[in-house]
Amino acid sequence: MPQNHRTRRIINERKLITMSRTLRLLSVPLSTALLGACVTLAAPSASAATGSDLATLALNNAGKGAGSCSVVNSAPNSLGGTSFGSSCKPEYWCSDFAIWVWQNAGLDVAGLTASSGTFYAYGQARGTLHTGPDYRPQLGDAVLYNYNGAGRADHVGLVTKVNADGSVLTTNGDWGGQGSDEAAFARTATVQNLTLGAAEVPVGSVPAAVNMRISAYISPAGLTGARNSRIGVLQNGALTVKQGALTAGWSPEWGGGLARFKVSGSWIGVLTTGGELYVKEGDLNAPWVDERGGVADFELDQGAGRVGVVTTDGHAVVKDGGLAGSWVDETNGVKQLRLSGDWVGVVFNDGTASVKEGGLLAGWTPETNNVADLQLDRASGRVGVLTKDGHAIVKDGGLAGSWVDQTNGVKQLRLSGDWVGVVFNDGTASVKEGGLLAGWTPETNNVADLQLDRASGRVGVLSTDGHALVKDGGLAGSWTDQTNGVQQLGLTSY
């Protein structure tokens, strides 16, 4: 579409979104304002969709206008409706269209509004926000452009096809409209398919067909079937991984001699007993990349494109930009390193913990002392600490938040999205969902290790007798015994 129309739309959208958000906050109760008054929300159905289902629904509406108010195509949508949510107010409706697709597939859309930037906050809250350049978008993902903070962005579309050559097809509501005001643009815009070339797919790119910067991909919460979910187990120093359903078969990844492993998105990392770190990216049969030696422990965050290690002499060293990036020495005197998004956290030998946000050369923010273990979840803005005296304390709201004592008598703490999990000294595991003051859901007992993956809705435990148990479907799901003789268990999804 002509660039001058798009530019006018962007300027007007920012003004109108700000005005409408302000008016809604002034004229409606707080609970309504927080949900967003522009979208009618429905509870997810008992049987949610797959990514393929989302793509099909979106593609079935290509060429459609906003609905009965459209002056170019007022035909009903593919489900017989006269609009996509509130698209016929009329208003800028790219967000309305994406919400309509997710909602009519029975997925969780709570918190999403006509302001497309709310997709960013949605992903943060559910652990489904992907801001790293190495993330490979999946069917049904939202792709967000020009996120400006404060719940504002310039456009959101949906990923509807992932091609073998790495290119991606996106389906976009409210595209190609004409006119300088919101109503005119909305009435003349349609649902259009736009292709992103393989080199234009990574976060940070500016696809030619869109002419806006990709700020993030956001996966919808609650999809059925595994969205490239992975489970890894270490048995007798050998690593095997399965991808997909809990009943999928195992793929041998490393034959023996391993001290530990980690899985993060499409990355798998292994540390040999000799202190050598290897990482692979992509398919399970992808080649290993020798990252470095002299490693005591390591961390991966595929979404952020970061690899970090604690060296045998206590240095925390991190690289940006994927597996081929350059190492940056962060600090020394370190016994633990954590990576999550653009956060880097360390626990020093004296038990103090510090976290930095942003670039690898950013300054450190002291968090607390008396730390036995540090946990980070950048997407939800949470920092967690297991103190040396067995208290699990967590803060919301980023590095400057306030600590909330969750419970005591704890030997392990886990964070994933809005889940907080603990293993008590007696081997029982409990998880809470939502706010930090939410109640605990008992999960099981005889637990040696707890693993959480909020994005896929999976909980995993390594039992004290070496069994790996995993449940799908959230905290109330049913356990499936994966295998036995297990030394370490890992969960991830992307």
Side-chain angles (χ1 to χ4, degrees):
M1 82 188 120
Q3 183 59 34
N4 62 325
H5 291 112
R6 185 67 191 173
T7 302
R8 287 199 297 269
R9 176 212 165 153
I10 288 170
I11 293 170
N12 284 317
E13 182 175 7
R14 287 174 179 165
K15 291 178 180 177
L16 289 164
I17 285 171
T18 301
M19 291 171 61
S20 64
R21 283 165 59 90
T22 302
L23 289 170
R24 287 198 298 269
L25 288 171
L26 290 173
S27 61
V28 299
L30 179 61
S31 59
T32 304
L34 290 173
L35 277 177
C38 292
V39 181
T40 301
L41 303 178
S45 68
S47 178
T50 66
S52 180
D53 294 331
L54 297 183
T56 299
L57 180 56
L59 289 167
N60 283 345
N61 288 277
K64 303 283 188 182
S68 58
C69 62
S70 174
V71 299
V72 293
N73 186 350
S74 60
N77 61 48
S78 65
L79 298 181
T82 59
S83 66
F84 298 106
S86 54
S87 59
C88 271
K89 289 186 72 172
E91 64 186 8
Y92 294 125
W93 51 277
C94 61
S95 181
D96 291 331
F97 175 73
I99 294 168
W100 180 87
V101 172
W102 282 10
Q103 182 177 355
N104 280 284
L107 297 175
D108 174 16
V109 296
L112 296 176
T113 77
S115 180
S116 52
T118 55
F119 278 81
Y120 196 97
Y122 173 101
Q124 282 184 314
R126 292 159 178 81
T128 62
L129 178 71
H130 312 286
T131 58
D134 292 327
Y135 176 71
R136 298 181 180 183
Q138 306 294 309
L139 292 179
D141 280 358
V143 52
L144 190 67
Y145 297 93
N146 288 355
Y147 178 68
N148 302 307
R152 297 196 302 273
D154 288 337
H155 184 65
V156 64
L158 294 175
V159 175
T160 49
K161 189 175 182 181
V162 179
N163 299 309
D165 64 358
S167 63
V168 165
L169 182 71
T170 65
T171 302
N172 304 264
D174 196 31
W175 195 263
Q178 304 295 315
S180 59
D181 65 89
E182 183 174 18
F185 192 99
R187 289 191 179 102
T188 55
T190 59
V191 178
Q192 295 189 23
N193 295 326
L194 303 173
T195 298
L196 316 184
E200 301 175 321
V201 169
V203 171
S205 301
V206 180
V210 185
N211 198 29
M212 288 181 276
R213 181 180 58 84
I214 299 175
S215 300
Y217 291 95
I218 300 94
S219 301
L223 283 180
T224 58
R227 292 172 50 84
N228 290 332
S229 295
R230 287 178 173 177
I231 302 171
V233 293
L234 189 66
Q235 297 163 297
N236 296 319
L239 174 64
T240 55
V241 176
K242 66 167 60 177
Q243 181 166 301
L246 296 183
T247 55
W250 293 99
S251 171
E253 294 296 315
W254 194 282
L258 296 181
R260 61 183 61 87
F261 78 94
K262 294 188 191 289
V263 287
S264 176
S266 66
W267 285 2
I268 304 173
V270 296
L271 180 62
T272 69
T273 53
E276 198 75 18
L277 174 63
Y278 296 84
V279 183
K280 66 163 58 178
E281 176 182 6
D283 296 335
L284 295 180
N285 59 358
W288 291 99
V289 177
D290 189 344
E291 288 292 316
R292 64 179 296 151
V295 176
D297 199 6
F298 73 101
E299 278 283 295
L300 303 176
D301 192 307
Q302 181 264 328
R306 287 181 170 180
V307 183
V309 303
V310 177
T311 64
T312 51
D313 60 355
H315 282 256
V317 186
V318 181
K319 62 165 61 175
D320 250 339
L323 304 187
S326 299
W327 295 104
V328 176
D329 195 331
E330 295 292 306
T331 189
N332 57 12
V334 172
K335 66 177 181 179
Q336 187 185 60
L337 169 69
R338 295 293 188 218
L339 301 180
S340 185
D342 67 347
W343 284 358
V344 179
V346 293
V347 180
F348 293 99
N349 291 330
D350 64 0
T352 59
S354 292
V355 182
K356 63 169 59 178
E357 179 177 350
L360 296 182
L361 300 180
W364 293 100
T365 299
E367 290 297 320
T368 190
N369 52 20
N370 196 36
V371 177
D373 180 60
L374 173 68
Q375 294 285 306
L376 302 177
D377 191 282
R378 179 63 177 92
S380 63
R382 287 180 170 178
V383 181
V385 162
L386 175 60
T387 66
K388 292 179 180 179
D389 58 357
H391 282 257
I393 59 174
V394 181
K395 60 167 64 175
D396 256 336
L399 305 187
S402 299
W403 293 107
V404 177
D405 195 333
Q406 298 293 292
T407 188
N408 58 13
V410 174
K411 65 177 181 179
Q412 188 183 63
L413 170 67
R414 295 289 188 230
L415 301 180
S416 183
D418 66 349
W419 284 358
V420 179
V422 293
V423 181
F424 293 99
N425 292 330
D426 64 1
T428 58
S430 291
V431 181
K432 63 169 60 178
E433 178 176 350
L436 295 182
L437 300 180
W440 293 99
T441 299
E443 290 296 319
T444 190
N445 51 19
N446 297 320
V447 176
D449 180 59
L450 173 67
Q451 293 289 312
L452 303 176
D453 185 50
R454 179 65 175 91
S456 64
R458 286 182 169 179
V459 181
V461 298
L462 173 59
S463 67
T464 52
D465 61 357
H467 282 258
L469 307 171
V470 181
K471 61 166 64 175
D472 257 336
L475 305 187
S478 299
W479 295 106
T480 300
D481 195 333
Q482 297 294 298
T483 188
N484 57 13
V486 176
Q487 300 165 274
Q488 185 190 346
L489 170 67
L491 303 179
T492 191
S493 61
Y494 63 101

